[in-house]
Amino acid sequence: MFSCNTTTSGHSTFLLTGFPGLEASHHWVSIPINLICVVSILGNSIILFLINTDPALHEPMYSFLSMLAASDLGLCASTFPTMVWLFWLGVRELPFDLCAAQMFFIHAFTYVESGVLLAMAFDRFVAIRDPLHYASILTHSAMAKVGAAILVRAVLLNLPGPILLRRLLFPQVSVLSHCYCLHCDLVGLACSDTQVNSLVGLVSILLSLGFDSSLIMLSYALILETVLSIASPGERLKALNTCVSHLCIVLIFYLPKLGLSVLHRVEKHSYPALAVLMANLHFLVPPFMNPIVYCVKSKQIRQGLLKRFQQKRVDVS
C-alpha cells in the first residue's frame, strides 16, 4: 500500500496484481485462464452466429440467449486485455482513465447479464404459467424493449461511478487487488472521504444484482407452484426440464460471486493467491460455462450445430 502523503486526482497510476507468491510462474499459471477466455469467446460467438442465422432459433428464449452471449463477449473483452498485459507482457501499470473505463464496462456488462437472466426467468415463467399467450406476450417488439431497458439500466447505474471517482484523491501509485479494476477496489485505495462513492456503489448493486436475484427467486417460486398443480407427473417433469438450463446458468452466475464475497470477508489475507484465483474465475466461469450448458441441454442448439457441420462437410466435398 503506497502512502497518501502525495496525492492526486485523475492522474494516478494503478498497479495490477497477479497471483501473490507465483510471480515467476505467471506465464504457466495464466495458460488455463487464457484458454478459458479463448474458449469463452469462441463458444459465445458460435451461439450468436447460430441464433442469428438459423430461423428455427428465432424464438424468445433464444433471443434472450443471444443477449446473454453478447454480454458474455463484452465481459471477456473488458477483462481479457489486462490479463494478457500482466501475465504475458509483464505490464502492471494502468493509468486512471483506462482503469475507470475498464471498471465501467466490467460492471455494466455484469449488470446486463444479470438483467438478461431475469428476463429469461420471466420467459420461463410465462411459458409454463400461460403457454397459450406466450407468443402474444413475448413478441419481437417486447423483447427489443426489454433488451434496451436492460442496457439503459446498466449504463445509468454505472455512469456515476467513474464520475465520482474523479473527485477522489489517490496516491501517485496504488496497488490493485486484482488484474482488473473494480469499483470497490478503487474506492478502498482513495485517500479522501468515500462515503458518497460507497453509497452509490451499494445502491447500484441493490438495484441490479439484488433486485434481479430477488425477482428470479420469485419467478421460480411461482413456476414451482404452477408445476406442482399439474396432475400428470410426466408433464411436471417436462415443464421443469425446460428450466434446467436457465437455473444452471443462474447458479453459475451468482454462486462464484457469493463465494468470492465470503472469501474476502473470512480468509482473503490468509490465502491471497486463492482470493485472486476466485476473483478471476468469478468473471471467467459464466462466459465459459453458459455456451456449454446450452449446447448440452438444448436440443435445438445441438441440431443447429450438427446442421452447420454437415453443411460444411458437404461444401468441402
Side-chain angles (χ1 to χ4, degrees):
M1 185 72 179
F2 288 83
S3 172
C4 283
N5 291 336
T6 305
T7 58
T8 182
S9 176
H11 300 285
S12 301
T13 298
F14 296 95
L15 300 182
L16 303 169
T17 298
F19 293 94
L22 300 174
E23 287 81 3
S25 305
H26 268 175
H27 283 79
W28 298 106
V29 173
S30 66
I31 288 175
I33 291 178
N34 290 327
L35 284 175
I36 290 174
C37 285
V38 171
V39 172
S40 301
I41 292 170
L42 287 175
N44 286 290
S45 298
I46 290 171
I47 291 288
L48 270 177
F49 174 76
L50 282 176
I51 293 173
N52 288 329
T53 58
D54 192 341
L57 298 177
H58 292 175
E59 298 177 7
M61 181 175 71
Y62 297 109
S63 295
F64 288 131
L65 179 57
S66 68
M67 295 180 197
L68 186 69
S71 66
D72 283 337
L73 286 173
L75 197 55
C76 289
S78 301
T79 55
F80 195 35
T82 48
M83 290 183 184
V84 172
W85 292 346
L86 176 63
F87 293 133
W88 289 97
L89 304 179
V91 177
R92 293 189 65 193
E93 297 82 7
L94 207 62
F96 176 85
D97 289 335
L98 196 56
C99 192
Q102 185 188 42
M103 178 202 77
F104 172 81
F105 284 111
I106 286 177
H107 289 299
F109 282 117
T110 300
Y111 291 178
V112 167
E113 184 157 350
S114 178
V116 172
L117 290 177
L118 173 59
M120 295 173 83
F122 179 72
D123 169 83
R124 292 299 84 207
F125 167 71
V126 174
I128 292 174
R129 189 92 168 189
D130 195 5
L132 295 178
H133 295 94
Y134 176 74
S136 61
I137 294 173
L138 290 171
T139 61
H140 290 293
S141 174
M143 287 185 296
K145 290 175 183 177
V146 168
I150 291 171
L151 185 60
V152 169
R153 184 191 69 164
V155 171
L156 292 179
L157 287 179
N158 282 286
L159 266 181
I163 295 172
L164 290 173
L165 279 176
R166 296 196 70 86
R167 72 180 184 85
L168 299 180
L169 296 175
F170 293 93
Q172 286 285 354
V173 180
S174 302
V175 180
L176 298 169
S177 301
H178 312 296
C179 56
Y180 42 77
C181 300
L182 298 178
H183 183 262
C184 58
D185 205 4
L186 293 178
V187 170
L189 293 171
C191 299
S192 46
D193 182 39
T194 60
Q195 286 187 352
V196 174
N197 299 73
S198 298
L199 180 61
V200 167
L202 178 61
V203 171
S204 175
I205 290 174
L206 290 176
L207 292 178
S208 55
L209 302 181
F211 178 76
D212 294 344
S213 59
S214 299
L215 289 186
I216 287 172
M217 287 190 289
L218 176 61
S219 296
Y220 272 100
L222 295 174
I223 286 172
L224 189 59
E225 179 188 17
T226 304
V227 169
L228 291 177
S229 66
I230 300 174
S232 169
E235 289 298 318
R236 286 183 193 174
L237 187 60
K238 184 180 177 181
L240 286 174
N241 194 47
T242 63
C243 301
V244 171
S245 298
H246 177 256
L247 191 56
C248 286
I249 61 175
V250 167
L251 294 175
I252 289 169
F253 180 77
Y254 283 105
L255 285 183
K257 287 175 172 49
L258 179 61
L260 181 63
S261 178
V262 171
L263 184 65
H264 268 259
R265 284 160 178 76
V266 179
E267 295 291 348
K268 177 184 175 181
H269 300 291
S270 300
Y271 304 100
L274 180 60
V276 172
L277 178 63
M278 282 292 294
N280 287 325
L281 291 179
H282 119 278
F283 282 122
L284 295 176
V285 169
F288 175 73
M289 289 300 299
N290 291 348
I292 295 174
V293 168
Y294 268 94
C295 284
V296 170
K297 292 299 298 178
S298 173
K299 183 180 178 181
Q300 291 90 334
I301 295 287
R302 291 199 306 272
Q303 287 176 341
L305 274 173
L306 288 173
K307 187 164 65 175
R308 288 294 170 186
F309 280 125
Q310 289 170 353
Q311 184 180 359
K312 190 70 175 176
R313 289 177 61 184
V314 169
D315 292 342
V316 170
S317 300

